[in-house]
Amino acid sequence: LSKRLIPVPVLVAEPQSITMVVKTLVCAFSELRVYPGHGKQFVRRDGQALVFLNSKCLSLYKQKKKPGQLTWTQAWRRLNKKGKTITVTRRRNRKTTKFVRAVTGATKAEIDARRRAPPSAKASASAKEIAAIKERRRKARAERRRAAKANNAGRRAAPAARNTGRRGR
């Protein structure tokens, strides 16, 4: 037999879509993903275990730095509304319905009659009402003044203190 190479048909299987699930943790400081074999774990005094992405995050946590003030953290991005583009759906406005409330001392019929009245009638009615209010105020003020005069008439003025000039001696 000769040492000739004979081509052999090779069956190639099509790659299946296998998705590998990797359990990732979330960094307690930056909120970024921590993949297996990465990161540092820190146990607080109260017993809670915190996972950090790297020594930088751990150091900043120990220095009590606020993640919301560092631009590369997810907390800062969330506070400053970065990243998420949410399509805003329009809110439907409910149609407002007109509702006539009864005013004290006036019925709905009276209110409607006033609304239907021509502007000149409205103006003259309001002028009359204003004049009536002013007259009532004038009368009340005059009554108060009369009462004050009657009170003051019964009282005598207190004698003025003499200034001896001797400083209380």
Side-chain angles (χ1 to χ4, degrees):
L1 287 164
S2 64
K3 294 185 178 180
R4 268 188 1 201
L5 296 172
I6 302 168
V8 179
V10 179
L11 294 172
V12 178
E14 288 193 27
Q16 294 176 349
S17 60
I18 300 171
T19 55
M20 193 171 140
V21 179
V22 178
K23 187 184 177 200
T24 58
L25 301 168
V26 177
C27 175
F29 187 81
S30 65
E31 299 175 33
L32 296 170
R33 285 188 187 155
V34 179
Y35 289 92
H38 295 265
K40 289 192 169 195
Q41 200 169 35
F42 176 74
V43 180
R44 290 197 312 209
R45 284 188 183 146
D46 62 355
Q48 186 177 2
L50 302 172
V51 178
F52 294 97
L53 179 65
N54 48 27
S55 57
K56 173 184 175 180
C57 292
L58 177 63
S59 173
L60 290 167
Y61 174 80
K62 285 180 177 177
Q63 293 173 49
K64 296 188 171 155
K65 299 288 180 191
K66 293 178 184 173
Q69 293 180 349
L70 299 167
T71 55
W72 54 272
T73 61
Q74 293 300 311
W76 183 89
R77 294 183 68 78
R78 190 173 47 252
L79 288 169
N80 292 281
K81 296 177 178 69
K82 305 289 179 192
K84 289 184 184 176
T85 53
I86 301 169
T87 55
V88 178
T89 56
R90 238 185 221 174
R91 291 177 66 181
R92 280 187 173 182
N93 289 346
R94 291 180 183 163
K95 289 194 176 183
T96 55
T97 55
K98 286 191 176 182
F99 181 75
V100 179
R101 289 193 180 137
V103 179
T104 310
T107 62
K108 187 179 183 308
E110 289 174 6
I111 294 169
D112 289 341
R114 279 192 181 182
R115 281 192 181 157
R116 280 191 234 101
S120 59
K122 285 182 188 176
S124 64
S126 66
K128 286 178 185 176
E129 288 174 3
I130 291 169
I133 291 169
K134 284 183 178 178
E135 185 61 34
R136 267 186 269 140
R137 285 184 183 165
R138 216 175 289 123
K139 285 180 182 177
R141 195 177 311 122
E143 185 63 36
R144 279 197 305 270
R145 285 183 182 162
R146 257 188 255 119
K149 279 185 180 179
N151 281 346
N152 288 341
R155 292 183 191 158
R156 277 194 308 159
R162 277 182 33 206
N163 187 1
T164 58
R166 298 183 74 196
R167 291 195 179 175
R169 289 186 190 149

